[in-house]
Amino acid sequence: MSNVKSALTIAGTDPSGGAGIQADLKTFQEREVYGMSVITSLVAQNTTGVHALHHIPVPFIEQQLQSVYSDIEPYAVKTGMIASEEMMRVIASVLEKSAAAYVMDPVMYAKSGHALMGEQSRDALKTYLVPLATLVTPNVPEAEELTGMTIEDEAAMKQAAKKIVQEYGAKAVLLKGGHMEGHEAADWLYDGEGFTSYKAERIPTKHTHGTGCTYSAAITAELAKGKSLQEAVQVGKDYVTAAIKYSLQLGNGNGPTNHWGYRLQSVPVQEELHNGIY
């Protein structure tokens, strides 16, 4: 197993296991990469909402990062909840020195609607982290916050994706359409040159807690394994669709997705699964 790839998540926690660090590590494991984590915030939350927040002191976040990078440098990194500008500056100072692919999931709200960062921190994302990103993965509300636009249709989604690349400096954007209307959940990848669409059936369920974390973590895992951006996004889309389709019906609110859901479907998430690995 000397060729195993490693991936790092930098994010907040979810003690109920559906989102944040916990969802990322589950996804890394399922996608067969070695998962590591740096915790930015301790979040008391479950499927019904966020009940309390405790932000990790910035010097300790820096110590966590130093511990990881001095021993097992990751092949790919993702960030999730980062609550303050000070956190972002420290994280950016490490990422800008790394050759690893970087996926930025701009986590601003919990599934319940609770805000996870202030307005000043949202602006700081564009300054410190977006320009370093291999891929930014906003949903429609997050893209509206980042760009100041109102997004009501496919044309506006594309315009917002272009703005995040051309004005804010990201290498690519995956703008997710889960909040839009229609029979399909259509996401648009803009890589600075053109658009690629990723569509899947829209599954009628409230059990979507942690979908953004899970989707971006699956993409991060595939990038760590050397997949192209387009290939990684396709695997991520298939993976999260299965996770929603086979959701676990847990909790009293917006329940978690199923991180082994892809194993329950007849069409495997990636070609390797056809070869009897599972």
Side-chain angles (χ1 to χ4, degrees):
M1 297 293 289
S2 60
N3 63 344
V4 67
K5 306 303 182 185
S6 57
L8 171 66
T9 172
I10 305 170
T13 65
D14 175 8
S16 70
I21 289 284
Q22 285 87 341
D24 293 343
L25 291 176
K26 291 175 185 179
T27 303
F28 289 166
Q29 185 75 12
E30 289 291 338
R31 300 311 307 146
E32 297 186 311
V33 299
Y34 180 73
M36 303 180 290
S37 63
V38 167
I39 296 173
T40 59
S41 298
L42 299 172
V43 186
Q45 68 171 312
N46 56 27
T47 66
T48 67
V50 173
H51 307 291
L53 292 169
H54 175 72
H55 301 310
I56 302 299
V58 173
F60 191 71
I61 294 174
E62 187 171 19
Q63 288 176 321
Q64 292 181 78
L65 288 164
Q66 290 173 348
S67 294
V68 172
Y69 276 86
S70 66
D71 192 26
I72 308 174
E73 186 158 350
Y75 284 80
V77 181
K78 69 152 288 189
T79 57
M81 177 188 174
I82 305 174
S84 72
E85 181 176 338
E86 292 75 18
M87 291 181 186
M88 293 176 200
R89 287 203 301 263
V90 165
I91 293 166
S93 71
V94 173
L95 294 180
E96 66 187 4
K97 300 172 187 175
S98 172
Y102 167 40
V103 177
M104 192 192 91
D105 184 21
V107 176
M108 299 177 185
Y109 301 96
K111 186 64 66 178
S112 59
H114 291 81
L116 296 175
M117 65 168 60
E119 184 175 345
Q120 183 177 356
S121 298
R122 296 172 205 164
D123 291 338
L125 281 175
K126 293 183 285 189
T127 300
Y128 296 104
L129 294 178
V130 171
L132 300 176
T134 305
L135 179 69
V136 183
T137 63
N139 57 32
V140 167
E142 291 162 348
E144 289 180 329
E145 290 280 356
L146 287 171
T147 63
M149 295 173 55
T150 298
I151 302 172
E152 296 179 338
D153 54 27
E154 180 183 300
M157 290 177 70
K158 290 183 175 181
Q159 185 180 353
K162 279 189 173 183
K163 185 172 184 176
I164 294 169
V165 170
Q166 295 173 354
E167 296 188 23
Y168 306 151
K171 292 183 177 65
V173 173
L174 177 68
L175 212 164
K176 301 173 293 187
H179 288 78
M180 305 295 279
E181 300 290 333
H183 297 296
E184 292 183 313
D187 308 332
W188 289 94
L189 173 67
Y190 180 65
D191 62 3
E193 296 182 359
F195 287 92
T196 305
S197 65
Y198 297 85
K199 297 181 180 180
E201 64 175 315
R202 187 179 297 279
I203 300 162
T205 178
K206 69 174 184 176
H207 299 298
T208 56
H209 180 60
T211 50
C213 304
T214 298
Y215 195 172
S216 57
I219 294 169
T220 304
E222 299 307 312
L223 291 174
K225 293 187 287 189
K227 295 287 181 65
S228 71
L229 184 58
Q230 286 75 13
E231 290 172 328
V233 172
Q234 185 63 68
V235 170
K237 180 69 170 178
D238 293 345
Y239 182 87
V240 77
T241 300
I244 297 169
K245 184 176 182 179
Y246 297 101
S247 60
L248 299 171
Q249 313 294 308
L250 295 172
N252 296 308
N254 299 303
T257 62
N258 183 348
H259 291 93
W260 67 89
Y262 73 99
R263 293 192 245 152
L264 305 177
Q265 61 184 6
S266 58
V267 180
V269 134
Q270 61 169 6
E271 290 182 4
E272 292 95 308
L273 301 185
H274 286 291
N275 299 324
I277 293 178
Y278 293 96

